[in-house]
Amino acid sequence: MTLSLFDQFMSPWYMGLPLMALSLVLPWMLFPTPTLRWLNNRMLTFQGWFIARFTQQTFLPLNVGGHKWALLFTSLMVFLITLNMLGLLPYTFTPTTQLSLNLGLAVPLWLATVIIGLRNQPTAALGHLLPEGTPTPLIPVLIVIETISLFIRPVALGVRLTANLTAGHLLIQLVSMAVFVLLPMMPTVAVLTAVLLLMLTLLEVAVAMIQAYVFVLLLSLYLQENV
């Protein structure tokens, strides 16, 4: 059976059951858990340092009211990084290449920030729809434009994460196919292409971490406008 390049992004099924839930739950079992010992091992120490630094950088511009979201945003950051990194392994499925999953994460969190802003400071939240000093004839047009841009935010969050990961996986697959095709005909070119594949894989590792950070960072900026 001939497979297309996009078959790797299909949600896998086994015995009539979707494996999406398994791929979402399994990463949590890979994290090291704290022990009762006085000293932790290197993995636990690095994990604690990374979470502390990320939380500090993300919530530095937020006031005290926004610090309540620290646990949620930090957990989401670690979760997305784990899913993106595991998706780079061979014969694995990347759930974050599914737009439905990314929108399922982006829309509720974005909506929560908007509702918090409308509840705590409704005047300031509605004031974002109309920039200060706008000429009177442009007021209706700008309100419509700002409202559309507000509702586009969660869509942009989900599409950005999906598009970046999908493009990276497709590039890796195309370059790897080129290596196998060129190996019997032009070994030197195949070796150079394999080096390019290695560099591309390292780039995708960076993209996997950066995109998870950007996803959470933009959510924190949306929260900053409403607290």
Side-chain angles (χ1 to χ4, degrees):
M1 183 178 65
T2 304
L3 299 178
S4 66
L5 294 176
F6 293 92
D7 286 340
Q8 59 176 318
F9 304 114
M10 296 177 59
S11 181
W13 289 69
Y14 182 72
M15 297 181 63
L17 299 176
L19 298 182
M20 173 73 82
L22 181 61
S23 61
L24 293 177
V25 175
L26 184 60
W28 293 110
M29 303 174 59
L30 303 177
F31 298 126
T33 55
T35 61
L36 298 178
R37 299 177 180 178
W38 288 3
L39 296 177
N40 293 325
N41 55 27
R42 295 178 180 178
M43 182 63 68
L44 281 173
T45 303
F46 174 76
Q47 177 178 287
W49 172 84
F50 173 78
I51 292 176
R53 292 294 298 174
F54 167 75
T55 306
Q56 179 184 2
Q57 293 296 326
T58 304
F59 292 90
L60 189 62
L62 295 179
N63 55 23
V64 179
H67 293 176
K68 300 176 183 178
W69 292 62
L71 180 61
L72 176 61
F73 280 177
T74 305
S75 302
L76 179 62
M77 169 73 172
V78 176
F79 183 60
L80 289 178
I81 286 181
T82 307
L83 289 180
N84 296 345
M85 297 290 287
L86 290 178
L88 294 175
L89 297 176
Y91 303 103
T92 56
F93 172 69
T94 312
T96 46
T97 56
Q98 304 296 312
L99 184 60
S100 57
L101 173 65
N102 297 332
L103 289 180
L105 294 174
V107 172
L109 294 174
W110 164 83
L111 186 60
T113 61
V114 174
I115 293 176
I116 286 177
L118 292 175
R119 186 189 66 178
N120 295 339
Q121 43 184 7
T123 304
L126 294 177
H128 293 154
L129 300 179
L130 184 63
E132 187 177 357
T134 303
T136 304
L138 297 179
I139 289 179
V141 179
L142 282 180
I143 290 179
V144 174
I145 293 175
E146 292 295 331
T147 303
I148 295 175
S149 66
L150 178 66
F151 283 97
I152 285 179
R153 285 180 174 181
V155 180
L157 279 177
V159 171
R160 181 186 296 107
L161 183 59
T162 304
N164 281 280
L165 295 180
T166 303
H169 284 65
L170 286 176
L171 282 176
I172 290 177
Q173 183 174 0
L174 289 173
V175 176
S176 61
M177 291 171 59
V179 172
F180 281 104
V181 172
L182 294 173
L183 188 59
M185 297 183 297
M186 294 179 288
T188 305
V189 179
V191 171
L192 295 177
T193 310
V195 174
L196 175 63
L197 177 61
L198 177 60
M199 297 175 61
L200 182 61
T201 304
L202 296 178
L203 177 63
E204 284 305 311
V205 171
V207 169
M209 294 186 289
I210 291 173
Q211 288 303 317
Y213 175 73
V214 169
F215 189 91
V216 178
L217 179 63
L218 290 177
L219 284 175
S220 66
L221 294 179
Y222 299 157
L223 179 64
Q224 181 182 356
E225 296 179 357
N226 295 283
V227 295

